[in-house]
Amino acid sequence: QSVLTQPPSVSGAPGQRVTISCTGSSSNIGAGYDVHWYQQLPGTAPKLLIYGNSNRPSGVPDRFSGSKSGTSASLAITGLQAEDEADYYCQSYDSSLSGSGVVFGGGTKLTVL
Amino acid sequence: QVQLVQSGSELKKPGASVKVSCKASGYTFTSYAMNWVRQAPGQGLEWMGWINTNTGNPTYAQGFTGRFVFSLDTSVSTAYLQISSLKAEDTAVYYCAREWGNNWFDPWGQGTLVTVSS
């Protein structure tokens, strides 16, 4: 069971907009820690997609955007393309009485219909 | 360009040990922490911990103490993950990843599949 909660799957038709949520708590996202997003294409290593809640690394299309509010964050993908079909993971930092460290969401599989 | 290149797949028997390497290039190795992440077959990403590449001090996440050891050879810009007393449940892809800024990871190594089977 992951500290950050993501929907197991989302889907959309080419050209559509989809969003993937990442829900945390007061010990991670709600505590002000940044949220980062990764895209993992089948059989490959994760790739940084969004860092610092809403920043895109060089080379990432502006179809991808991130936001954060309260104890949650979201990844939006507009103009859906077939090559966007992948697993997406959110990541943050958690600090509580039981310890602290990096935490990931359980991942969301995006299917392009 | 900045890249991390990991060692190849390993097939080990239960009880054996394995050492995975992660060679960095394109940047100053000791300027960025190195993290390790596990991905079991069909599962999500699990953070294992990190190593300070300046001091060599490792920090292990819960569940990765005892049998897991992070180490460095700064002379060849390489980080290592050693797992001892391997169990079937250690079967996974293990990734190294350079840490930037507020704990984001970029780039990642290509991953090393460790299979534990008798």
Side-chain angles (χ1 to χ4, degrees):
Chain A
Q1 191 164 342
S2 303
V3 173
L4 304 178
T5 301
Q6 297 180 234
S9 64
V10 297
S11 63
Q16 283 190 333
R17 178 181 186 270
V18 297
T19 62
I20 299 173
S21 61
C22 175
T23 302
S25 67
S26 58
S27 64
N28 42 69
I29 299 175
Y33 293 111
D34 284 347
V35 178
H36 320 298
W37 291 90
Y38 302 90
Q39 177 192 58
Q40 186 175 32
L41 296 169
T44 70
K47 168 194 161 187
L48 180 67
L49 199 62
I50 298 286
Y51 67 94
N53 306 315
S54 59
N55 301 289
R56 279 187 311 277
S58 173
V60 173
D62 59 6
R63 302 186 296 104
F64 295 90
S65 63
S67 64
K68 172 189 160 185
S69 179
T71 58
S72 296
S74 288
L75 172 71
I77 310 171
T78 59
L80 209 55
Q81 299 180 4
E83 56 261 37
D84 298 334
E85 189 158 290
D87 293 324
Y88 293 84
Y89 294 90
C90 62
Q91 177 229 315
S92 187
Y93 192 86
D94 187 272
S95 183
S96 65
L97 289 177
S98 59
S100 59
V102 168
V103 289
F104 286 100
T108 298
K109 182 174 180 59
L110 169 62
T111 301
V112 181
L113 303 170
Chain B
Q1 74 281 22
V2 175
Q3 64 175 353
L4 302 175
V5 178
Q6 298 185 223
S7 49
S9 298
E10 301 268 10
L11 174 59
K12 296 291 185 180
K13 294 189 183 304
S17 296
V18 69
K19 194 169 187 177
V20 176
S21 67
C22 169
K23 183 171 178 58
S25 61
Y27 71 98
T28 302
F29 181 68
T30 52
S31 293
Y32 301 88
M34 191 69 75
N35 285 250
W36 290 93
V37 177
R38 181 171 78 177
Q39 187 169 37
Q43 301 301 307
L45 304 174
E46 188 176 16
W47 181 67
M48 301 175 65
W50 67 286
I51 185 165
N52 184 318
T53 54
N54 217 9
T55 65
N57 184 49
T59 298
Y60 301 98
Q62 286 184 3
F64 294 99
T65 56
R67 298 188 300 116
F68 301 83
V69 176
F70 306 148
S71 61
L72 305 170
D73 184 342
T74 56
S75 69
V76 289
S77 300
T78 301
Y80 300 94
L81 163 66
Q82 183 162 1
I83 312 172
S84 58
S85 303
L86 283 163
K87 308 174 183 180
E89 51 264 42
D90 293 324
T91 294
V93 175
Y94 292 84
Y95 294 101
C96 59
R98 185 183 71 165
E99 182 174 335
W100 262 98
N102 283 343
N103 310 120
W104 68 82
F105 300 157
D106 182 54
W108 294 57
Q110 84 276 21
T112 296
L113 173 62
V114 174
T115 304
V116 183
S117 174
S118 56

